[in-house]
Amino acid sequence: MSVALKEVGVVEASPNLVEVEGLVKWFPVRAGVFRRVVGWIKAVDDVSFTIRRGETLGLVGESGCGKTTTARAILRLIEPTRGRVLFDGIDLMKLDSRQLARMRPQMQVIFQDPYGSLNPRHTVMEIVGEALAYHGIVKRGKALEERVAELLDMVGLSPQHMRRYPHEFSGGQRQRIGIARALATSPKLIVCDEPVSALDVSIQSQILNLLEDLQARFGVTYLFIAHGLHVVKHISNRVGVMYLGKLIEVADSEEIYAEPLHPYTQALISAIPIPDPRRKRQRLILQGDVPSPLNPPPGCRFWTRCPVMTDACKETQPVLKDVGRGHQVACLRYS
Amino acid sequence: MRLLTRESKIPAGRTLWADSWRRLKRNKPAVVGLVFVLLVLFVGIFADFLAPASPTDQDLRARFARPGSPSKITRNGTYILGADQFGRDILSRIIYGARVSLTLAIVVEVITRIIGITVGSVAGYYGGWIDMAISRVLEVLMAFPDLLFYIGIRFALGSSLPVLILAFSAFGWAGTSRFVRGLVMQLKESEYVEAARAQGFSDARIIVRHILPNCLGPLIVSITLSIPGTIMGEAGLAFLGLGIQPPAPSWGNMIYDSRAYLRVAPFFGIWPGVALIVTVLAFNLFGDGLRDALDPRLKR
C-alpha cells in the first residue's frame, strides 16, 4: 500500500481523520427517448466538515436532505460530482480503483436495513470473514474461524452461529452481524447509516450501547447518520444538521441542544418527544414541505419555511460561519 | 481466541436451498413432475440397456405390427408398442428419441445459459454505454426470425444434431441475457452488494459471489421451463421435415412419419405423442413447483 499511497501524498497526522471540502453530488435527471439530461437533483451541494479522530459526528436531517448521499460520496460508493475528501491525510478522490480497494478495509459501513444488507446466500462466517481473507489480513482456515468467532463474541453473538444464514436471525441479531462485518478489518472510520432506524425501540438502545462500547475499546471514529436528533443525542460528540443538500449547523452535542442557532435546528429540537405528558412544551411546527432538490430556492435554502425570514434571505446564500466554541451556523442572522 | 475449542462442533445452518426443498416436497404435482423428469432422464441415459431393440433395425414383414405382436428383432420377442412402417420397434425408437430430445434440450440450455449469463451480468452490472451496446445487439437477435436462420444453415451445413443445437443456441441466449441483465440491475442496488463494494471486492468477485448466487433461483426455474420449449421446438421442426433426419429417431420425426399412416396404424403416432406430452407436462409441473418453492413470496 505504502508505495502507491505515497504518490498521492501523505500529510502529517492531523487531529482530523476525515476532512470534507466542498463536496457536491448532483444526479442527472434524464427524460425522453434519447435520455437527455433535463435537470440536476442537487442532492449534496457544497458541503464541508471534518471528523476528528475517535469522535462520533452525528449527521441529521429529514429524508432526502442528502445525508446518506454525503456519506456514500465520502466513501466513494458513489462518485462525487466535485469536492475533496481527505481520509487520514490521503485524498480519496485521487485514488484509482485499485488503491481505493486497498483503502476500503479502513473505512467501513453499517447499513440501515438489517434484512437487505446481508447476502441471503452467505453464512455468517462468509459475511464477516470474507474481507479478512480477501485482503489477506487473516489466512483462510482455522485462523479465520477464530477471528470470526472473536468478532461475533465482541458484538454479542455466539460463535456457534457461524454456519447459520441471515434469515435465521432476528433484526437486532442481523444488525450485530452487520456490525461484526464492519468491525472485522479494524477500520479507522465506520459510517453508521441510520443503523437503528429499522429496529424495534427496545433493541435500538442495545445496538447504540454496543456501538459506544466498541468505540471505547477500539477508538474507532463514527460518522453517525440519523433522521432525528433524539437518536444522535447520546452517541454523538458533535452534530451536523443538513437541510436540502446543505450543511446548516455544526456544533458540539450539548451546545446544539442547549443553544440551537439555526431556525431549522430549533424546529428539529422542538420535535424531540419528551417522555412527560404533563410538561408543557412549545412546538415549533414548520409550514409547508421541503422544496424539490431539483429546483432549490435561491438564496437561503430554508427561507420558504423559515419563521424568521427576511427579504435578504431570498437572495443571499448564507455560508457556514463560526460563532465561537466551534459552533458553526449558516444563517444570515449570524453573519 | 479459544472461543471455538470449547465446543468444536458448530451447528450448520439451514440453507435457503434446504428450505426450498422442504417446500417442494409438499407440492404433489411438482413431485410427480420431478419423478417423471428423472424417469425420462434415466431412460435417455440408459437407452442402450433399456431398449429391447436397436432403433434402426428393420423387419419389413412386420410393418405396422400391432402392440404385443411377436417380433424377430427385439430381445424379448415382442413389439411391446407395435412396429412402424419399416417394422422398427416403436418402444425402442421412443427410448432413443428421449435421448436425442434431451441431449438437444440440455446442450442448448448449457450453451445459451453460459453465454446469456455472462453477457447479461456484464450489461446489468456496468450499465451505461456497455449496457446500451449489448441491449441493441440483443434486440437485433430477438427480432431475427430464427426459423429462417435455421433453414439457411440447414442448407449450408446439412441437418444433424450439432446443427440443430447451433440453430437453437444462436439466438436462444439473447432471452437469458435480457433476463439476467434485469436481475443483476435489480440486485446491484441491494445493500449487500453495496456492502461488498464498501469492502473493496473486485467487480468480478461481486458478480460471481454476491449477485449471481441470488439469481440462481429464478434461473433454475426458467431453465426447467424452457427445456420443454426446446423439445417442442425440435418436434415442430421435425414435423416440417426440418428436424433430426431419419433414420435417427426423435419424437418429432416419429410423429411426422406416422402422419401418413394415421388410419392404418393410429398407435404409431399416438405413442411418441404421449411421450412428448408427458415429458413436457412433467417439466412444466416441476418448474412451476420449483418457482413456488424457491420464491415463496410469489405464492399469492
Side-chain angles (χ1 to χ4, degrees):
Chain A
M1 178 184 326
S2 56
V3 180
L5 295 181
K6 275 209 183 90
E7 295 160 20
V8 194
V10 180
V11 189
E12 291 276 290
S14 83
N16 296 328
L17 180 65
V18 181
E19 291 179 22
V20 181
E21 285 167 34
L23 191 73
V24 175
K25 179 63 194 180
W26 290 4
F27 293 103
V29 180
R30 292 169 195 277
V33 190
F34 299 103
R35 320 292 302 142
R36 228 157 26 85
V37 176
V38 292
W40 296 91
I41 292 198
K42 295 163 183 171
V44 178
D45 205 7
D46 196 8
V47 164
S48 306
F49 60 91
T50 59
I51 310 173
R52 296 178 196 144
R53 279 172 208 280
E55 78 163 350
T56 300
L57 176 69
L59 201 55
V60 297
E62 55 204 302
S63 316
C65 73
K67 53 196 191 301
T68 298
T69 309
T70 305
R72 284 178 196 196
I74 290 173
L75 299 178
R76 274 184 72 186
L77 286 174
I78 49 176
E79 286 300 323
T81 312
R82 270 199 304 281
R84 202 159 88 112
V85 177
L86 289 180
F87 177 83
D88 213 6
I90 296 159
D91 189 344
L92 293 182
M93 300 307 148
K94 288 201 181 123
L95 300 182
D96 65 32
S97 59
R98 276 195 78 171
Q99 294 168 322
L100 186 64
R102 273 175 295 184
M103 286 289 293
R104 294 252 180 244
Q106 297 186 43
M107 38 191 210
Q108 282 299 306
V109 194
I110 297 167
F111 291 90
Q112 172 176 9
D113 177 8
Y115 292 87
S117 61
L118 305 177
N119 192 328
R121 301 273 175 213
H122 288 183
T123 60
V124 173
M125 170 75 199
E126 291 170 297
I127 291 168
V128 178
E130 189 178 6
L132 287 170
Y134 180 83
H135 292 286
I137 301 167
V138 179
K139 270 217 175 102
R140 279 183 202 283
K142 193 86 190 136
L144 188 62
E145 273 194 14
E146 280 185 0
R147 172 70 179 147
V148 171
E150 193 188 359
L151 284 160
L152 291 180
D153 191 57
M154 271 179 211
V155 299
L157 289 171
S158 160
Q160 305 280 312
H161 291 151
M162 204 183 273
R163 303 258 178 277
R164 298 257 178 98
Y165 289 84
H167 66 116
E168 300 174 72
F169 294 92
S170 70
Q173 286 176 313
R174 282 161 165 247
Q175 202 55 302
R176 288 173 192 269
I177 298 170
I179 294 171
R181 169 175 63 189
L183 212 59
T185 53
S186 313
K188 290 178 180 156
L189 172 74
I190 297 182
V191 171
C192 310
D193 186 6
E194 305 203 28
V196 297
S197 306
L199 302 175
D200 286 348
V201 181
S202 56
I203 297 165
Q204 286 189 355
S205 54
Q206 285 178 22
I207 297 292
L208 290 175
N209 287 339
L210 173 65
L211 289 172
E212 278 187 319
D213 288 350
L214 294 172
Q215 185 170 47
R217 273 175 79 178
F218 302 108
V220 59
T221 306
Y222 290 138
L223 173 60
F224 195 100
I225 296 165
H227 54 244
L229 273 166
H230 55 286
V231 180
V232 297
K233 190 169 180 180
H234 299 289
I235 198 163
S236 306
N237 303 94
R238 287 189 308 138
V239 176
V241 181
M242 283 189 75
Y243 182 80
L244 210 57
K246 292 271 188 196
L247 192 62
I248 53 152
E249 187 162 5
V250 186
D252 284 348
S253 204
E254 290 102 55
E255 169 102 9
I256 207 160
Y257 290 100
E259 206 185 322
L261 295 181
H262 199 285
Y264 180 66
T265 315
Q266 289 165 357
L268 278 187
I269 286 179
S270 84
I272 298 176
I274 302 166
D276 182 358
R278 274 158 304 186
R279 219 170 103 190
K280 279 257 194 276
R281 60 199 184 114
Q282 274 194 315
R283 271 288 262 124
L284 188 61
I285 294 169
L286 294 176
Q287 299 300 312
D289 288 322
V290 188
S292 162
L294 193 61
N295 189 18
C300 174
R301 295 248 162 130
F302 189 58
W303 73 259
T304 52
R305 301 170 77 194
C306 185
V308 292
M309 182 267 288
T310 62
D311 280 343
C313 299
K314 296 180 186 174
E315 278 143 33
T316 321
Q317 207 171 76
V319 288
L320 269 184
K321 273 248 167 72
D322 202 314
V323 293
R325 299 179 307 275
H327 194 148
Q328 293 174 291
V329 63
C331 179
L332 289 181
R333 292 187 299 160
Y334 302 96
S335 56
Chain B
M1 277 300 129
R2 296 268 69 93
L3 291 163
L4 280 181
T5 39
R6 248 182 291 121
E7 252 176 87
S8 53
K9 244 181 97 86
I10 294 165
R14 283 179 295 123
T15 61
L16 291 178
W17 300 118
D19 277 354
S20 303
W21 173 238
R22 263 189 302 114
R23 276 193 295 270
L24 185 72
K25 276 194 295 189
R26 265 178 282 158
N27 184 340
K28 288 243 169 55
V31 173
V32 172
L34 174 62
V35 168
F36 265 95
V37 166
L38 292 176
L39 187 73
V40 175
L41 281 172
F42 179 79
V43 165
I45 292 167
F46 296 104
D48 295 328
F49 303 101
L50 295 170
S54 154
T56 49
D57 275 358
Q58 304 182 358
D59 178 2
L60 289 173
R61 268 170 302 181
R63 296 169 78 225
F64 306 119
R66 302 205 159 270
S69 40
S71 160
K72 284 188 197 127
I73 58 161
T74 60
R75 264 181 278 170
N76 55 358
T78 43
Y79 285 116
I80 296 173
L81 298 181
D84 68 6
Q85 80 272 34
F86 299 117
R88 295 175 297 199
D89 182 35
I90 291 179
L91 176 63
S92 302
R93 288 181 67 76
I94 287 178
I95 290 174
Y96 277 95
R99 174 181 279 183
V100 171
S101 296
L102 286 174
T103 308
L104 173 72
I106 290 169
V107 174
V108 166
E109 283 310 316
V110 170
I111 295 175
T112 56
R113 299 296 164 164
I114 288 176
I115 302 174
I117 289 170
T118 312
V119 173
S121 52
V122 167
Y125 188 78
Y126 290 102
W129 67 266
I130 297 177
D131 177 37
M132 188 74 148
I134 291 175
S135 292
R136 294 300 84 78
V137 172
L138 295 183
E139 275 157 21
V140 170
L141 284 176
M142 290 173 102
F144 202 88
D146 37 6
L147 192 64
L148 207 65
F149 169 78
Y150 174 61
I151 294 170
I153 65 163
R154 185 173 174 270
F155 282 117
L157 302 172
S159 187
S160 61
L161 191 58
V163 174
L164 263 178
I165 289 171
L166 177 66
F168 278 103
S169 308
F171 297 100
W173 61 272
T176 304
S177 293
R178 260 292 165 82
F179 183 60
V180 172
R181 171 182 170 268
L183 289 173
V184 171
M185 282 174 84
Q186 184 192 342
L187 291 177
K188 182 177 79 163
E189 302 301 325
S190 67
E191 280 198 334
Y192 61 80
V193 171
E194 194 166 20
R197 291 207 295 126
Q199 287 177 293
F201 301 146
S202 65
D203 290 344
R205 187 184 187 86
I206 292 174
I207 293 175
V208 174
R209 286 218 6 119
H210 293 258
I211 298 181
L212 288 182
N214 287 289
C215 300
L216 228 48
L219 265 174
I220 289 173
V221 172
S222 110
I223 288 171
T224 344
L225 292 177
S226 94
I227 286 177
T230 310
I231 295 176
M232 291 289 272
E234 189 277 326
L237 285 176
F239 198 76
L240 296 173
L242 298 171
I244 303 286
Q245 287 307 292
S250 90
W251 295 344
N253 68 24
M254 290 174 79
I255 297 173
Y256 175 66
D257 287 344
S258 75
R259 192 181 39 118
Y261 313 104
L262 213 52
R263 281 200 196 177
V264 217
F267 56 86
F268 179 15
I270 287 171
W271 296 127
V274 167
L276 188 68
I277 290 169
V278 167
T279 305
V280 170
L281 187 68
F283 270 102
N284 279 324
L285 286 177
F286 175 53
D288 279 343
L290 211 53
R291 172 167 32 217
D292 293 341
L294 287 171
D295 195 351
R297 278 166 301 176
L298 277 177
K299 241 183 166 180
R300 274 151 295 160

